Amino acid sequence: MLDLCLLGTGGTQPLMNRWLTSLVVRYSGHALLIDCGEGTQIAAQRAAVSLKPVDKILLTHLHADHVSGLPGLLLTMGNMGRSESVSVIGPRGTERLIDAVRVIAPNLPFDLRVSELETEQELMYFLDCDIEAFAVRHGVPCYGYSITLPRAGKFDAAKARALGIPLPFWSRLQKGESIEHEGQLYTPDLVMGPPRRGLKITYCTDSRPTPAIAAAAQNADLFICEGMYGDDESLPKARENRHMLFSEAARLAAEAGGVRELWLTHYSPSLPNPKAYRDIARAIFPNTHTARDGWTKELRFEDE
Amino acid sequence: MLDLCLLGTGGTQPLMNRWLTSLVVRYSGHALLIDCGEGTQIAAQRAAVSLKPVDKILLTHLHADHVSGLPGLLLTMGNMGRSESVSVIGPRGTERLIDAVRVIAPNLPFDLRVSELETEQELMYFLDCDIEAFAVRHGVPCYGYSITLPRAGKFDAAKARALGIPLPFWSRLQKGESIEHEGQLYTPDLVMGPPRRGLKITYCTDSRPTPAIAAAAQNADLFICEGMYGDDESLPKARENRHMLFSEAARLAAEAGGVRELWLTHYSPSLPNPKAYRDIARAIFPNTHTARDGWTKELRFEDE
């Protein structure tokens, strides 16, 4: 089971009734955070989500509305007693940014391990999950992220019994181990069915629409995508500021294939009521929702 | 007339129901801000106070709960169309801090002029107001600030008439100008009474109590002082963390002489209900108030 909370849904600057866009994803007692604008630690308090277990912070890009909450968050994590290291991953410039963050937040009681993304597409891990970073188009180096929890095939007990595989080996084979015993090699493929559908979240702010985003979002259970402007008349502004319209985000969700649900976020401060434009997106991708601060979701494997 | 708004009253970290301590003082269409922790720009929105006219930012010290809102605030001021320069004044290290702030908030559309306080006591100006910075005791370089709007004596029209001072000179003399006319020197002291009581605000976080604080607060209309802990049993903690008890702040107000009103602020996150301890302070300085986020006050000359 993966669960997630979209801590905020604003872009550009925090508003008194809208926190900046940031996502926390939790798995097995650990958490990762995507972006941390000013106020993210307060948004997390409101959502009753502890950020102490955040092991990994993924930055989409280095604009202040996505990073300026880092000094306060890191200090608060230290005050909460965190001593385990925290990884920070982001585009070129992240090391320089973290040097600046350390000036504002010195003497942290844990290590910060910084790494910069260098290519169009990179793979990382978060416990059992795969993380794919994919470059998007925003005028400055910027990435989206897909987090996938893969799921192995089903164990075929009848087959294992028929092959005479000793019972103590069954669970090891289920975990993907190969075992040699009395001259016999037992491999998982003997008893495991084909991989089953796992869980997948794809996250993308800030960008113009690109084919890479649609490709990354394929088969996502939840695609969280920026929708800076609600109406199609804002296209010139969206182009100028390298952002997306609701309709553009919905088109990406439709084109990706297999997306189950789309949440729009990262609304312009000039957009007080995103819901008023929701139907524009639903005409293109029906299962679209204009997300609000603090929305949560649990993702579970299909038959669990 | 001076007016002020205490945007927040918290110390250490922003809470979902308490912003970090920060004061905005306005005079004649301009504003100065003391400290800017994470969320200060949001607190200002809630208090309906625009921070666009902030010409001067005074920093007490460089701990993150007092400065980490600077990148977001400066960017928002830029987005609001500010183009006039902004001064930032603080203790040793402020230049290095602002270099870090500029990494998070690059390309501001206005100049930042940074100056560092170097001595125990320094004088500056904000329009017609005098600002006195005074060193306090917090383990790192830290300053309190007094903002004073002085008031000239009363113009004595009968005396001016008796001295035969030409009418067109009266207002210039009132403004402090000396005038030479037909071999005659007219100076303000001829027609002006002794200086009258002006307006004064004294602000002090974070510090242990010191005689310099009491001296600085003398005759303050409003003394805003930290009260990190409510009960006297917290003295060891207050000493260790270089903060004050409510009773210590009240004693400073009483010892200063002439203080009219005391507001406590900068409460520990472990102090959910400061009012519960208010009477401890009132026993020492009766006109003590446990301030809350967004409290405002207008200060006017006595007979205006």
PDB file of all heavy atoms in Angstrom, chain A residues 33-65:
ATOM      1  N   LEU A  33       9.157  13.274  -0.221  1.00  0.00           N
ATOM      2  CA  LEU A  33       8.474  14.547  -0.416  1.00  0.00           C
ATOM      3  C   LEU A  33       8.883  15.104  -1.766  1.00  0.00           C
ATOM      4  O   LEU A  33      10.072  15.107  -2.096  1.00  0.00           O
ATOM      5  CB  LEU A  33       8.922  15.520   0.695  1.00  0.00           C
ATOM      6  CG  LEU A  33       8.284  16.908   0.698  1.00  0.00           C
ATOM      7  CD1 LEU A  33       6.816  16.822   1.103  1.00  0.00           C
ATOM      8  CD2 LEU A  33       9.031  17.833   1.672  1.00  0.00           C
ATOM      9  N   ILE A  34       7.913  15.563  -2.545  1.00  0.00           N
ATOM     10  CA  ILE A  34       8.251  16.249  -3.794  1.00  0.00           C
ATOM     11  C   ILE A  34       7.988  17.743  -3.590  1.00  0.00           C
ATOM     12  O   ILE A  34       6.859  18.158  -3.327  1.00  0.00           O
ATOM     13  CB  ILE A  34       7.425  15.740  -4.990  1.00  0.00           C
ATOM     14  CG1 ILE A  34       7.564  14.213  -5.126  1.00  0.00           C
ATOM     15  CG2 ILE A  34       7.885  16.430  -6.272  1.00  0.00           C
ATOM     16  CD1 ILE A  34       6.846  13.635  -6.346  1.00  0.00           C
ATOM     17  N   ASP A  35       9.025  18.523  -3.641  1.00  0.00           N
ATOM     18  CA  ASP A  35       8.993  19.983  -3.522  1.00  0.00           C
ATOM     19  C   ASP A  35       8.627  20.455  -2.112  1.00  0.00           C
ATOM     20  O   ASP A  35       7.956  19.749  -1.348  1.00  0.00           O
ATOM     21  CB  ASP A  35       8.066  20.625  -4.554  1.00  0.00           C
ATOM     22  CG  ASP A  35       8.701  20.643  -5.952  1.00  0.00           C
ATOM     23  OD1 ASP A  35       9.916  20.365  -6.070  1.00  0.00           O
ATOM     24  OD2 ASP A  35       7.984  20.942  -6.927  1.00  0.00           O
ATOM     25  N   CYS A  36       9.082  21.654  -1.791  1.00  0.00           N
ATOM     26  CA  CYS A  36       8.918  22.172  -0.438  1.00  0.00           C
ATOM     27  C   CYS A  36       8.977  23.698  -0.493  1.00  0.00           C
ATOM     28  O   CYS A  36      10.014  24.296  -0.217  1.00  0.00           O
ATOM     29  CB  CYS A  36      10.026  21.605   0.457  1.00  0.00           C
ATOM     30  SG  CYS A  36       9.846  22.084   2.179  1.00  0.00           S
ATOM     31  N   GLY A  37       7.856  24.315  -0.854  1.00  0.00           N
ATOM     32  CA  GLY A  37       7.796  25.774  -0.884  1.00  0.00           C
ATOM     33  C   GLY A  37       7.590  26.355   0.504  1.00  0.00           C
ATOM     34  O   GLY A  37       7.453  25.610   1.495  1.00  0.00           O
ATOM     35  N   GLU A  38       7.548  27.653   0.573  1.00  0.00           N
ATOM     36  CA  GLU A  38       7.346  28.311   1.871  1.00  0.00           C
ATOM     37  C   GLU A  38       6.021  27.848   2.485  1.00  0.00           C
ATOM     38  O   GLU A  38       4.968  27.945   1.859  1.00  0.00           O
ATOM     39  CB  GLU A  38       7.331  29.833   1.689  1.00  0.00           C
ATOM     40  CG  GLU A  38       7.162  30.565   3.006  1.00  0.00           C
ATOM     41  CD  GLU A  38       7.306  32.076   2.855  1.00  0.00           C
ATOM     42  OE1 GLU A  38       7.491  32.566   1.728  1.00  0.00           O
ATOM     43  OE2 GLU A  38       7.247  32.756   3.899  1.00  0.00           O
ATOM     44  N   GLY A  39       6.098  27.331   3.698  1.00  0.00           N
ATOM     45  CA  GLY A  39       4.885  26.927   4.405  1.00  0.00           C
ATOM     46  C   GLY A  39       4.576  25.445   4.328  1.00  0.00           C
ATOM     47  O   GLY A  39       3.627  24.986   4.968  1.00  0.00           O
ATOM     48  N   THR A  40       5.362  24.672   3.567  1.00  0.00           N
ATOM     49  CA  THR A  40       5.043  23.243   3.428  1.00  0.00           C
ATOM     50  C   THR A  40       4.999  22.543   4.782  1.00  0.00           C
ATOM     51  O   THR A  40       4.136  21.694   5.027  1.00  0.00           O
ATOM     52  CB  THR A  40       6.043  22.563   2.462  1.00  0.00           C
ATOM     53  OG1 THR A  40       5.758  23.025   1.134  1.00  0.00           O
ATOM     54  CG2 THR A  40       5.922  21.050   2.488  1.00  0.00           C
ATOM     55  N   GLN A  41       5.898  22.937   5.708  1.00  0.00           N
ATOM     56  CA  GLN A  41       5.862  22.260   7.017  1.00  0.00           C
ATOM     57  C   GLN A  41       4.571  22.591   7.777  1.00  0.00           C
ATOM     58  O   GLN A  41       4.084  21.777   8.560  1.00  0.00           O
ATOM     59  CB  GLN A  41       7.098  22.597   7.852  1.00  0.00           C
ATOM     60  CG  GLN A  41       7.216  24.038   8.252  1.00  0.00           C
ATOM     61  CD  GLN A  41       8.258  24.218   9.382  1.00  0.00           C
ATOM     62  OE1 GLN A  41       8.287  23.471  10.339  1.00  0.00           O
ATOM     63  NE2 GLN A  41       9.105  25.216   9.239  1.00  0.00           N
ATOM     64  N   ILE A  42       3.996  23.768   7.529  1.00  0.00           N
ATOM     65  CA  ILE A  42       2.738  24.125   8.204  1.00  0.00           C
ATOM     66  C   ILE A  42       1.584  23.364   7.543  1.00  0.00           C
ATOM     67  O   ILE A  42       0.687  22.847   8.217  1.00  0.00           O
ATOM     68  CB  ILE A  42       2.482  25.644   8.137  1.00  0.00           C
ATOM     69  CG1 ILE A  42       3.775  26.434   8.370  1.00  0.00           C
ATOM     70  CG2 ILE A  42       1.412  26.050   9.143  1.00  0.00           C
ATOM     71  CD1 ILE A  42       3.640  27.936   8.120  1.00  0.00           C
ATOM     72  N   ALA A  43       1.637  23.284   6.210  1.00  0.00           N
ATOM     73  CA  ALA A  43       0.614  22.514   5.490  1.00  0.00           C
ATOM     74  C   ALA A  43       0.588  21.070   5.982  1.00  0.00           C
ATOM     75  O   ALA A  43      -0.478  20.468   6.129  1.00  0.00           O
ATOM     76  CB  ALA A  43       0.886  22.576   3.987  1.00  0.00           C
ATOM     77  N   ALA A  44       1.765  20.525   6.255  1.00  0.00           N
ATOM     78  CA  ALA A  44       1.835  19.143   6.736  1.00  0.00           C
ATOM     79  C   ALA A  44       1.207  19.027   8.127  1.00  0.00           C
ATOM     80  O   ALA A  44       0.497  18.064   8.416  1.00  0.00           O
ATOM     81  CB  ALA A  44       3.281  18.656   6.765  1.00  0.00           C
ATOM     82  N   GLN A  45       1.445  20.022   8.981  1.00  0.00           N
ATOM     83  CA  GLN A  45       0.783  20.020  10.304  1.00  0.00           C
ATOM     84  C   GLN A  45      -0.728  20.003  10.128  1.00  0.00           C
ATOM     85  O   GLN A  45      -1.435  19.244  10.781  1.00  0.00           O
ATOM     86  CB  GLN A  45       1.149  21.274  11.099  1.00  0.00           C
ATOM     87  CG  GLN A  45       2.549  21.299  11.681  1.00  0.00           C
ATOM     88  CD  GLN A  45       2.832  22.657  12.353  1.00  0.00           C
ATOM     89  OE1 GLN A  45       1.984  23.236  13.012  1.00  0.00           O
ATOM     90  NE2 GLN A  45       4.034  23.169  12.153  1.00  0.00           N
ATOM     91  N   ARG A  46      -1.216  20.859   9.236  1.00  0.00           N
ATOM     92  CA  ARG A  46      -2.673  20.928   9.028  1.00  0.00           C
ATOM     93  C   ARG A  46      -3.237  19.609   8.539  1.00  0.00           C
ATOM     94  O   ARG A  46      -4.366  19.247   8.843  1.00  0.00           O
ATOM     95  CB  ARG A  46      -3.011  22.010   7.990  1.00  0.00           C
ATOM     96  CG  ARG A  46      -2.731  23.369   8.530  1.00  0.00           C
ATOM     97  CD  ARG A  46      -3.709  24.408   8.035  1.00  0.00           C
ATOM     98  NE  ARG A  46      -3.254  25.680   8.568  1.00  0.00           N
ATOM     99  CZ  ARG A  46      -4.014  26.686   8.899  1.00  0.00           C
ATOM    100  NH1 ARG A  46      -5.296  26.619   8.704  1.00  0.00           N
ATOM    101  NH2 ARG A  46      -3.518  27.793   9.390  1.00  0.00           N
ATOM    102  N   ALA A  47      -2.430  18.931   7.702  1.00  0.00           N
ATOM    103  CA  ALA A  47      -2.900  17.659   7.148  1.00  0.00           C
ATOM    104  C   ALA A  47      -2.611  16.499   8.098  1.00  0.00           C
ATOM    105  O   ALA A  47      -2.911  15.354   7.769  1.00  0.00           O
ATOM    106  CB  ALA A  47      -2.228  17.414   5.795  1.00  0.00           C
ATOM    107  N   ALA A  48      -2.024  16.822   9.248  1.00  0.00           N
ATOM    108  CA  ALA A  48      -1.675  15.786  10.236  1.00  0.00           C
ATOM    109  C   ALA A  48      -0.745  14.729   9.657  1.00  0.00           C
ATOM    110  O   ALA A  48      -0.867  13.545   9.928  1.00  0.00           O
ATOM    111  CB  ALA A  48      -2.927  15.150  10.837  1.00  0.00           C
ATOM    112  N   VAL A  49       0.196  15.188   8.830  1.00  0.00           N
ATOM    113  CA  VAL A  49       1.192  14.299   8.228  1.00  0.00           C
ATOM    114  C   VAL A  49       2.552  14.679   8.815  1.00  0.00           C
ATOM    115  O   VAL A  49       2.988  15.814   8.671  1.00  0.00           O
ATOM    116  CB  VAL A  49       1.233  14.493   6.695  1.00  0.00           C
ATOM    117  CG1 VAL A  49       2.414  13.748   6.080  1.00  0.00           C
ATOM    118  CG2 VAL A  49      -0.077  14.037   6.058  1.00  0.00           C
ATOM    119  N   SER A  50       3.209  13.763   9.474  1.00  0.00           N
ATOM    120  CA  SER A  50       4.543  14.058   9.998  1.00  0.00           C
ATOM    121  C   SER A  50       5.561  13.991   8.870  1.00  0.00           C
ATOM    122  O   SER A  50       5.568  13.055   8.077  1.00  0.00           O
ATOM    123  CB  SER A  50       4.936  13.046  11.075  1.00  0.00           C
ATOM    124  OG  SER A  50       6.300  13.236  11.399  1.00  0.00           O
ATOM    125  N   LEU A  51       6.433  14.985   8.825  1.00  0.00           N
ATOM    126  CA  LEU A  51       7.484  14.956   7.807  1.00  0.00           C
ATOM    127  C   LEU A  51       8.804  14.430   8.376  1.00  0.00           C
ATOM    128  O   LEU A  51       9.804  14.376   7.669  1.00  0.00           O
ATOM    129  CB  LEU A  51       7.654  16.344   7.175  1.00  0.00           C
ATOM    130  CG  LEU A  51       6.421  16.845   6.383  1.00  0.00           C
ATOM    131  CD1 LEU A  51       6.697  18.200   5.743  1.00  0.00           C
ATOM    132  CD2 LEU A  51       6.013  15.849   5.294  1.00  0.00           C
ATOM    133  N   LYS A  52       8.783  14.033   9.643  1.00  0.00           N
ATOM    134  CA  LYS A  52      10.014  13.476  10.224  1.00  0.00           C
ATOM    135  C   LYS A  52      10.518  12.257   9.453  1.00  0.00           C
ATOM    136  O   LYS A  52      11.715  12.110   9.260  1.00  0.00           O
ATOM    137  CB  LYS A  52       9.783  13.126  11.701  1.00  0.00           C
ATOM    138  CG  LYS A  52      11.069  12.691  12.402  1.00  0.00           C
ATOM    139  CD  LYS A  52      10.818  12.279  13.852  1.00  0.00           C
ATOM    140  CE  LYS A  52      12.039  11.591  14.429  1.00  0.00           C
ATOM    141  NZ  LYS A  52      11.731  10.848  15.664  1.00  0.00           N
ATOM    142  N   PRO A  53       9.616  11.343   8.978  1.00  0.00           N
ATOM    143  CA  PRO A  53      10.138  10.167   8.271  1.00  0.00           C
ATOM    144  C   PRO A  53      10.514  10.385   6.809  1.00  0.00           C
ATOM    145  O   PRO A  53      10.677   9.421   6.067  1.00  0.00           O
ATOM    146  CB  PRO A  53       9.005   9.145   8.394  1.00  0.00           C
ATOM    147  CG  PRO A  53       7.779   9.913   8.663  1.00  0.00           C
ATOM    148  CD  PRO A  53       8.163  11.241   9.225  1.00  0.00           C
ATOM    149  N   VAL A  54      10.656  11.640   6.376  1.00  0.00           N
ATOM    150  CA  VAL A  54      11.008  11.894   4.969  1.00  0.00           C
ATOM    151  C   VAL A  54      12.486  11.554   4.736  1.00  0.00           C
ATOM    152  O   VAL A  54      13.377  12.216   5.264  1.00  0.00           O
ATOM    153  CB  VAL A  54      10.729  13.364   4.585  1.00  0.00           C
ATOM    154  CG1 VAL A  54      11.385  13.705   3.244  1.00  0.00           C
ATOM    155  CG2 VAL A  54       9.217  13.614   4.516  1.00  0.00           C
ATOM    156  N   ASP A  55      12.730  10.507   3.962  1.00  0.00           N
ATOM    157  CA  ASP A  55      14.095  10.094   3.657  1.00  0.00           C
ATOM    158  C   ASP A  55      14.619  10.741   2.390  1.00  0.00           C
ATOM    159  O   ASP A  55      15.826  10.840   2.192  1.00  0.00           O
ATOM    160  CB  ASP A  55      14.141   8.568   3.410  1.00  0.00           C
ATOM    161  CG  ASP A  55      13.724   7.794   4.629  1.00  0.00           C
ATOM    162  OD1 ASP A  55      14.096   8.204   5.743  1.00  0.00           O
ATOM    163  OD2 ASP A  55      13.005   6.784   4.462  1.00  0.00           O
ATOM    164  N   LYS A  56      13.706  11.120   1.514  1.00  0.00           N
ATOM    165  CA  LYS A  56      14.089  11.587   0.182  1.00  0.00           C
ATOM    166  C   LYS A  56      13.268  12.812  -0.161  1.00  0.00           C
ATOM    167  O   LYS A  56      12.041  12.794  -0.004  1.00  0.00           O
ATOM    168  CB  LYS A  56      13.731  10.496  -0.839  1.00  0.00           C
ATOM    169  CG  LYS A  56      14.880   9.896  -1.574  1.00  0.00           C
ATOM    170  CD  LYS A  56      14.340   8.934  -2.607  1.00  0.00           C
ATOM    171  CE  LYS A  56      15.445   8.234  -3.373  1.00  0.00           C
ATOM    172  NZ  LYS A  56      16.548   7.697  -2.647  1.00  0.00           N
ATOM    173  N   ILE A  57      13.933  13.851  -0.616  1.00  0.00           N
ATOM    174  CA  ILE A  57      13.215  15.024  -1.089  1.00  0.00           C
ATOM    175  C   ILE A  57      13.551  15.178  -2.569  1.00  0.00           C
ATOM    176  O   ILE A  57      14.722  15.315  -2.935  1.00  0.00           O
ATOM    177  CB  ILE A  57      13.637  16.293  -0.301  1.00  0.00           C
ATOM    178  CG1 ILE A  57      13.321  16.100   1.191  1.00  0.00           C
ATOM    179  CG2 ILE A  57      12.932  17.529  -0.858  1.00  0.00           C
ATOM    180  CD1 ILE A  57      13.841  17.220   2.091  1.00  0.00           C
ATOM    181  N   LEU A  58      12.520  15.108  -3.408  1.00  0.00           N
ATOM    182  CA  LEU A  58      12.709  15.262  -4.853  1.00  0.00           C
ATOM    183  C   LEU A  58      12.286  16.679  -5.219  1.00  0.00           C
ATOM    184  O   LEU A  58      11.193  17.115  -4.850  1.00  0.00           O
ATOM    185  CB  LEU A  58      11.817  14.269  -5.605  1.00  0.00           C
ATOM    186  CG  LEU A  58      11.924  12.790  -5.201  1.00  0.00           C
ATOM    187  CD1 LEU A  58      10.881  11.959  -5.965  1.00  0.00           C
ATOM    188  CD2 LEU A  58      13.326  12.259  -5.473  1.00  0.00           C
ATOM    189  N   LEU A  59      13.139  17.388  -5.918  1.00  0.00           N
ATOM    190  CA  LEU A  59      12.792  18.750  -6.341  1.00  0.00           C
ATOM    191  C   LEU A  59      12.490  18.743  -7.828  1.00  0.00           C
ATOM    192  O   LEU A  59      13.258  18.203  -8.623  1.00  0.00           O
ATOM    193  CB  LEU A  59      13.952  19.705  -6.040  1.00  0.00           C
ATOM    194  CG  LEU A  59      14.389  19.756  -4.562  1.00  0.00           C
ATOM    195  CD1 LEU A  59      15.610  20.658  -4.408  1.00  0.00           C
ATOM    196  CD2 LEU A  59      13.249  20.213  -3.667  1.00  0.00           C
ATOM    197  N   THR A  60      11.362  19.325  -8.206  1.00  0.00           N
ATOM    198  CA  THR A  60      11.072  19.417  -9.637  1.00  0.00           C
ATOM    199  C   THR A  60      12.022  20.420 -10.283  1.00  0.00           C
ATOM    200  O   THR A  60      12.586  20.180 -11.334  1.00  0.00           O
ATOM    201  CB  THR A  60       9.615  19.888  -9.871  1.00  0.00           C
ATOM    202  OG1 THR A  60       9.415  21.141  -9.204  1.00  0.00           O
ATOM    203  CG2 THR A  60       8.623  18.850  -9.349  1.00  0.00           C
ATOM    204  N   HIS A  61      12.187  21.584  -9.626  1.00  0.00           N
ATOM    205  CA  HIS A  61      13.094  22.615 -10.123  1.00  0.00           C
ATOM    206  C   HIS A  61      13.350  23.577  -8.972  1.00  0.00           C
ATOM    207  O   HIS A  61      12.827  23.400  -7.875  1.00  0.00           O
ATOM    208  CB  HIS A  61      12.502  23.309 -11.364  1.00  0.00           C
ATOM    209  CG  HIS A  61      11.245  24.077 -11.120  1.00  0.00           C
ATOM    210  ND1 HIS A  61      10.109  23.497 -10.572  1.00  0.00           N
ATOM    211  CD2 HIS A  61      10.923  25.385 -11.322  1.00  0.00           C
ATOM    212  CE1 HIS A  61       9.154  24.406 -10.474  1.00  0.00           C
ATOM    213  NE2 HIS A  61       9.627  25.570 -10.909  1.00  0.00           N
ATOM    214  N   LEU A  62      14.142  24.600  -9.248  1.00  0.00           N
ATOM    215  CA  LEU A  62      14.662  25.390  -8.134  1.00  0.00           C
ATOM    216  C   LEU A  62      13.990  26.745  -7.977  1.00  0.00           C
ATOM    217  O   LEU A  62      14.510  27.614  -7.272  1.00  0.00           O
ATOM    218  CB  LEU A  62      16.185  25.537  -8.284  1.00  0.00           C
ATOM    219  CG  LEU A  62      16.921  24.196  -8.476  1.00  0.00           C
ATOM    220  CD1 LEU A  62      18.426  24.413  -8.505  1.00  0.00           C
ATOM    221  CD2 LEU A  62      16.554  23.172  -7.399  1.00  0.00           C
ATOM    222  N   HIS A  63      12.831  26.961  -8.573  1.00  0.00           N
ATOM    223  CA  HIS A  63      12.101  28.204  -8.302  1.00  0.00           C
ATOM    224  C   HIS A  63      11.666  28.214  -6.837  1.00  0.00           C
ATOM    225  O   HIS A  63      11.323  27.182  -6.264  1.00  0.00           O
ATOM    226  CB  HIS A  63      10.894  28.336  -9.239  1.00  0.00           C
ATOM    227  CG  HIS A  63      11.278  28.801 -10.618  1.00  0.00           C
ATOM    228  ND1 HIS A  63      10.495  28.578 -11.723  1.00  0.00           N
ATOM    229  CD2 HIS A  63      12.366  29.481 -11.066  1.00  0.00           C
ATOM    230  CE1 HIS A  63      11.080  29.105 -12.800  1.00  0.00           C
ATOM    231  NE2 HIS A  63      12.221  29.647 -12.420  1.00  0.00           N
ATOM    232  N   ALA A  64      11.667  29.451  -6.269  1.00  0.00           N
ATOM    233  CA  ALA A  64      11.476  29.583  -4.821  1.00  0.00           C
ATOM    234  C   ALA A  64      10.175  28.972  -4.331  1.00  0.00           C
ATOM    235  O   ALA A  64      10.116  28.457  -3.211  1.00  0.00           O
ATOM    236  CB  ALA A  64      11.544  31.056  -4.427  1.00  0.00           C
ATOM    237  N   ASP A  65       9.112  29.029  -5.150  1.00  0.00           N
ATOM    238  CA  ASP A  65       7.842  28.472  -4.667  1.00  0.00           C
ATOM    239  C   ASP A  65       7.891  26.948  -4.542  1.00  0.00           C
ATOM    240  O   ASP A  65       6.936  26.339  -4.056  1.00  0.00           O
ATOM    241  CB  ASP A  65       6.654  28.925  -5.547  1.00  0.00           C
ATOM    242  CG  ASP A  65       6.824  28.610  -7.026  1.00  0.00           C
ATOM    243  OD1 ASP A  65       7.960  28.572  -7.516  1.00  0.00           O
ATOM    244  OD2 ASP A  65       5.806  28.402  -7.712  1.00  0.00           O
TER     245      ASP A  65
END
